[in-house]
Amino acid sequence: DFAIIGGMSGIHQFCRIGRLAMVGGSVRVNVDVPPFFLYAGLYVTPNGLNKVGLRRAGFTREEMHALKEAYRILYRENLSLKDALERIEKEVPTPHTEHLVRFIRASKRGISRE
């Protein structure tokens, strides 16, 4: 769903790429890639919000701010995945953050984390 995959990226056959995610070129993907964020590095590493993709998809500033806050909780707060998801649900309850949490909880391979 409108994900962007850079050239020469290797993606394992059972990995899921989330909606509006952007994976840079020559990235090795062997885990699930949550929606709405940018990923780069030799091994898939989160690198912030996919602002350009979200803007092009018609997301409002408020929606983007909520996703940015979800990113901060998920990747910058040094929380366990379970605690991070619970905080996102509690502190930033929007349809897009709920989609993010559902995607992560449905992951069988795990997600990319720093």
Side-chain angles (χ1 to χ4, degrees):
D1 294 337
F2 304 102
I4 304 293
I5 311 298
M8 303 298 292
S9 291
I11 300 174
H12 188 276
Q13 63 183 341
F14 297 115
C15 290
R16 296 178 314 138
I17 307 293
R19 181 168 92 98
L20 290 164
M22 181 173 185
V23 177
S26 300
V27 175
R28 297 176 185 177
V29 179
N30 61 351
V31 293
D32 290 343
V33 177
F36 310 119
F37 305 136
L38 298 172
Y39 300 90
L42 180 59
Y43 294 96
V44 65
T45 305
N47 280 307
L49 196 62
N50 181 8
K51 293 177 186 175
V52 173
L54 295 174
R55 205 173 301 125
R56 288 178 180 168
F59 279 56
T60 66
R61 285 182 184 219
E62 293 78 21
E63 290 170 325
M64 290 173 62
H65 179 73
L67 288 169
K68 186 175 182 179
E69 182 64 17
Y71 178 90
R72 186 186 64 75
I73 293 169
L74 183 61
Y75 291 116
R76 300 286 185 241
E77 292 285 319
N78 293 320
L79 298 170
S80 70
L81 185 57
K82 180 183 176 217
D83 290 343
L85 296 178
E86 287 173 1
R87 273 192 60 193
I88 291 168
E89 286 178 315
K90 184 178 180 180
E91 296 177 19
V92 200
T94 71
H96 300 301
T97 58
E98 289 169 7
H99 172 76
L100 172 68
V101 169
R102 278 193 312 273
F103 180 95
I104 294 170
R105 285 200 173 127
S107 176
K108 293 179 182 168
R109 297 188 60 84
I111 65 162
S112 59
R113 289 195 87 184
E114 294 177 346

